[in-house]
């Protein structure tokens, strides 16, 4: 619209100027021609008059001026006869006017031009008083005439340009109205075209957003043969193909989950038999020779690992099937931490790790499923001991208005950059060779994260090689309440900077168990 407005303004003013110039030039041409013939006629009348006395000459001048100014209704020409500036003879004939337009209306530059070049006509556009007080433009044409005995006089023809002005006013009004109509039309066309193009694009964007948010059955309307319809058809074809592939993947994933679940279930019965046989062999290992006795021990340990792997697989299958449910109880997290320490104290003793607890400022009570949270904390503390290289493991509790948190921190091997996010992947291990024989099942943290999610909570990891790791469990105090921030920091404060916990509580272990500190 703005462009249209600019074009209309430029074109309008250019055309207006051309029309105005044309009209004025035409009028000037006819004015010059009229003035030439009328001046000639006046001069011949003065010439033929012969020598007259002053009164008769004045009378003649009035007659001539009266005749030269248009007679009757056509008042389109006024005449002024006045003494030339350089005529210094006796003023026998006064200035003669045919109307109100008098000598003051004639610019002195025009008079000067005639004085300078008396043999030629001089033309100028001036303003003269019109009807009802307004001024109107007029063309004034001046030339010299010679009056008998009175000498050089100037004869001016004033041609009012009133009609041209009116024509130009009509033209300007027409241009303005036409311009406004054109710009409005342009705007309307632009609006309609934009609607036609933009609306389908907006609808396409909406459908794409819905599709991205998982509503795979969303499709675009695609009628007709235009570009938008083609876009719609391609989009729908893409959505069909995506939907098909996602369904296939979902089916595949379901089949895999089902397979894992079925295999785990199927393995349970033979494993129970193997377990019983293994126990029997293990119990009577003293009766075997040493190499067979060692094999009996290995068998016993591996059956243990096999059993825990199987139970972890079954647990993961339950999460995948969406069958996991919470059994909520209002629980003090200090007790949960106490139980986790108790169950890992034997491991801590073996590894020589000291377990330190930093209690919360206020009671850490939350609605949790104690069995699941026990499992998470047991896993975190066992990992911290396992990867803590015999150094102390610190367990801190924190609480705020909405959430409770526990951090388990060790100063052992730590995590390399990027590993903090990968530790929660199923079967992921930083060192596969080491962990497959000595570590757990590789599913511990994956299950812990699912347990935390089931509570609507978070499980985060941080680690730096050689500095240690920190795992933080944050749970909402009440079910359905979303957590905004964790009461405890994940990253330990830098060495030398003030600790994020009060110093006195940091130095006051709630309960220490295992290793040198127990
Ligand atoms: P695993 O049974 O192997 O311990 P997890 O799921 O508990 O399985 O842990 C996965 C991997 O995360 C571990 O193999 C180990 O590489 C890494 N990890 C877990 N806890 C720590 C820790 N405290 N420090 C360093 N690495 C850890």
């Amino acid at each position: 619209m703005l462009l249209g407005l600019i074009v209309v303004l430029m074109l309008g003013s250019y055309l207006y100027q051309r029309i105005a110039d044309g009209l004025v030039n035409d009028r000037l041409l006819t004015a010059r021609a009229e003035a030439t013939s009328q001046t000639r006629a006046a001069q011949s009348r003065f010439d033929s008059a012969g020598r007259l006395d002053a009164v008769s000459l004045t009378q003649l001048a009035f007659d001539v001026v009266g005749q030269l100014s248009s007679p009757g209704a056509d008042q389109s020409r006024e005449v002024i006869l006045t003494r030339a500036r350089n005529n210094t003879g006796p003023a026998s004939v006064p200035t003669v006017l045919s109307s109100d337009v008098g000598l003051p209306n004639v610019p002195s530059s025009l008079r000067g031009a005639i004085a300078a070049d008396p043999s030629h006509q001089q033309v100028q556009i001036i303003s003269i008083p019109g009807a009802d007080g307004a001024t109107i433009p007029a063309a004034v044409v001046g030339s010299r005439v010679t009056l008998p005995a009175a000498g050089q006089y100037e004869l001016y023809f004033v041609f009012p340009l009133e009609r041209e002005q009116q024509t130009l006013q009509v033209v300007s009004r027409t241009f303005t109205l036409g311009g406004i109509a054109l710009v409005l039309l342009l705007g309307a066309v632009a609006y309609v075209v934009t609607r036609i193009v933009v609306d389908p694009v907006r609808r396409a964007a909406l459908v794409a957003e819905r599709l991205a948010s998982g509503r795979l059955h969303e499709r675009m309307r695609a009628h007709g043969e235009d570009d938008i319809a083609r876009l719609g058809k391609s989009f729908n074809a893409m959505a069909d193909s995506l939907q098909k592939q996602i369904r296939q993947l979902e089916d595949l994933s379901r089949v895999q989950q089902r397979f894992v679940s079925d295999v785990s279930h199927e393995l349970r019965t033979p494993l129970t038999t193997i377990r019983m046989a293994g126990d029997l062999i293990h119990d009577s290992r003293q009766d075997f020779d040493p190499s067979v006795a060692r094999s009996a021990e290995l068998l016993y340990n591996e059956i243990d690992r096999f059993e825990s792997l199987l139970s972890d697989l079954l647990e993961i299958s339950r999460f995948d099937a969406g069958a996991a449910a919470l059994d909520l109880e209002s629980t003090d997290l200090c007790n949960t931490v106490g139980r986790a320490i108790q169950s890992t104290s034997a491991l801590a003793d073996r590894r020589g790790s000291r377990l330190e607890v930093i209690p919360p400022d206020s009671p850490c009570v939350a609605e949790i499923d104690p069995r699941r949270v026990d499992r998470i904390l047991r896993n975190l503390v066992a990992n911290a001991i396992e990867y803590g290289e015999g150094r102390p493991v610190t367990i801190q509790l924190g609480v705020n208005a909405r959430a409770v948190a526990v951090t388990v921190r060790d100063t052992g091997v730590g995590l390399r950059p990027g590993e903090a996010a990968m530790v929660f992947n199923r079967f992921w291990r930083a060192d596969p060779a080491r962990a497959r024989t000595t570590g757990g099942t590789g599913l511990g943290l994956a299950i812990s994260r699912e347990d935390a999610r089931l509570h609507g909570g978070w499980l985060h990891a941080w680690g730096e090689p050689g500095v240690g790791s920190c795992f933080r469990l944050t749970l909402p105090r009440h079910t359905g309440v979303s957590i905004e921030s964790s009461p405890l920091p994940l990253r330990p404060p830098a060495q030398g900077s003030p600790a994020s916990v009060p110093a006195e509580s940091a130095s006051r272990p709630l309960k220490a168990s295992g290793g040198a500190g127990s």
Side-chain angles (χ1 to χ4, degrees):
M1 272 184 86
L2 194 68
L3 271 180
L5 190 69
I6 292 170
V7 169
V8 162
L9 275 178
M10 281 168 55
L11 202 69
S13 52
Y14 172 74
L15 287 178
Y16 179 84
Q17 202 54 49
R18 288 298 302 267
I19 292 170
D21 288 351
L23 279 173
V24 171
N25 287 342
D26 267 6
R27 188 70 183 111
L28 284 182
L29 266 179
T30 52
R32 272 173 177 279
E34 265 181 54
T36 309
S37 68
Q38 296 300 324
T39 307
R40 229 176 261 142
Q43 186 61 61
S44 63
R45 276 204 64 186
F46 287 130
D47 290 348
S48 60
R51 288 197 74 81
L52 296 172
D53 57 59
V55 178
S56 312
L57 190 57
T58 306
Q59 188 54 51
L60 178 64
F62 271 100
D63 283 355
V64 169
V65 168
Q67 226 168 36
L68 293 183
S69 65
S70 323
D74 183 13
Q75 294 293 322
S76 65
R77 191 168 75 205
E78 310 298 345
V79 182
I80 304 166
L81 180 69
T82 187
R83 209 148 70 102
R85 276 180 172 173
N86 52 357
N87 184 354
T88 49
S92 45
V93 179
T95 297
V96 184
L97 307 173
S98 68
S99 70
D100 302 344
V101 183
L103 208 51
N105 292 109
V106 179
S108 66
S109 59
L110 182 65
R111 297 199 68 187
I114 292 176
D117 183 11
S119 58
H120 285 103
Q121 246 181 8
Q122 302 295 335
V123 186
Q124 261 194 25
I125 305 285
I126 58 163
S127 291
I128 55 167
D132 47 84
T135 57
I136 51 168
V140 53
V141 185
S143 39
R144 276 279 170 90
V145 284
T146 312
L147 266 59
Q152 295 292 310
Y153 269 70
E154 287 164 4
L155 185 62
Y156 294 101
F157 291 92
V158 179
F159 300 93
L161 300 176
E162 202 170 6
R163 215 177 292 157
E164 283 74 12
Q165 195 184 29
Q166 279 166 1
T167 312
L168 278 178
Q169 273 168 359
V170 172
V171 168
S172 133
R173 249 197 315 273
T174 314
F175 274 12
T176 309
L177 288 177
I180 290 172
L182 199 67
V183 170
L184 288 180
L185 189 74
L186 263 179
V189 169
Y191 180 79
V192 170
V193 171
T194 317
R195 289 277 109 198
I196 289 172
V197 177
V198 167
D199 270 357
V201 173
R202 278 200 190 140
R203 276 202 299 275
L206 198 73
V207 171
E209 274 166 23
R210 286 192 189 145
L211 200 78
S213 71
R215 291 157 74 171
L216 296 176
H217 56 274
E218 288 287 336
R219 292 292 178 275
M220 268 177 75
R221 262 185 291 155
H223 304 304
E225 290 300 321
D226 57 8
D227 288 334
I228 296 291
R230 270 176 41 214
L231 171 75
K233 281 175 192 155
S234 320
F235 183 90
N236 290 347
M238 182 196 73
D240 282 343
S241 149
L242 265 180
Q243 190 178 23
K244 209 169 115 198
Q245 285 180 27
I246 288 172
R247 288 236 166 97
Q248 276 174 356
L249 284 174
E250 278 174 356
D251 289 346
L252 196 68
S253 168
R254 255 196 299 277
V255 168
Q256 280 178 343
Q257 286 168 8
R258 191 68 205 261
F259 178 75
V260 172
S261 165
D262 288 351
V263 167
S264 313
H265 272 109
E266 289 304 318
L267 282 177
R268 253 165 44 154
T269 322
L271 185 62
T272 316
T273 317
I274 296 172
R275 164 100 266 175
M276 285 191 311
D279 284 354
L280 208 70
I281 297 170
H282 187 255
D283 289 346
S284 28
R285 65 186 183 284
Q286 299 94 330
D287 306 338
F288 306 141
D289 65 64
S291 63
V292 179
R294 175 76 192 126
S295 300
E297 260 171 30
L298 285 176
L299 178 70
Y300 183 80
N301 289 339
E302 286 305 309
I303 291 173
D304 259 359
R305 276 171 62 75
F306 196 1
E307 258 190 335
S308 54
L309 176 63
L310 208 58
S311 70
D312 280 357
L313 274 175
L314 281 169
E315 191 62 30
I316 280 275
S317 308
R318 269 195 286 278
F319 280 118
D320 289 343
L326 286 176
D327 195 1
L328 293 173
E329 257 175 49
S330 188
T331 312
D332 188 344
L333 228 63
C334 293
N335 298 336
T336 321
V337 169
R339 282 197 297 275
I341 288 173
Q342 231 164 29
S343 62
T344 50
S345 60
L347 179 65
D349 279 343
R350 273 203 306 278
R351 297 292 167 118
S353 291
R354 192 157 43 90
L355 302 180
E356 286 175 359
V357 178
I358 303 172
D361 296 332
S362 47
C364 228
V365 180
E367 279 176 22
I368 55 168
D369 181 339
R371 183 183 70 87
R372 289 181 192 279
V373 178
D374 273 3
R375 180 165 63 189
I376 302 174
L377 291 179
R378 218 171 30 237
N379 187 30
L380 295 185
V381 177
N383 276 349
I385 297 168
E386 184 98 27
Y387 302 101
E389 300 193 314
R391 299 202 195 105
V393 171
T394 313
I395 303 153
Q396 188 179 352
L397 291 101
V399 59
N400 68 14
R402 290 179 159 222
V404 289
V406 182
T407 54
V408 180
R409 198 175 165 232
D410 65 76
T411 50
V413 290
L415 296 167
R416 285 188 292 262
E419 286 186 353
M422 283 154 75
V423 288
F424 300 107
N425 291 351
R426 293 173 187 185
F427 296 113
W428 185 88
R429 290 168 171 121
D431 181 359
R434 179 187 123 101
R436 208 147 274 150
T437 49
T438 59
T441 59
L443 286 171
L445 287 176
I447 294 176
S448 298
R449 177 168 266 198
E450 293 293 348
D451 276 332
R453 274 198 194 138
L454 208 59
H455 283 84
W458 304 331
L459 182 58
H460 290 133
W462 170 88
E464 246 178 54
V467 177
S469 314
C470 182
F471 285 77
R472 182 183 65 188
L473 171 70
T474 312
L475 299 172
R477 292 181 68 174
H478 303 285
T479 40
V481 174
S482 63
I483 314 172
E484 277 161 5
S485 63
S486 181
L488 295 175
L490 177 63
R491 191 181 281 263
Q495 216 72 39
S497 71
S500 60
V501 286
E504 36 123 28
S505 66
S507 61
R508 180 166 52 89
L510 171 80
K511 190 183 200 175
S513 163
S518 64

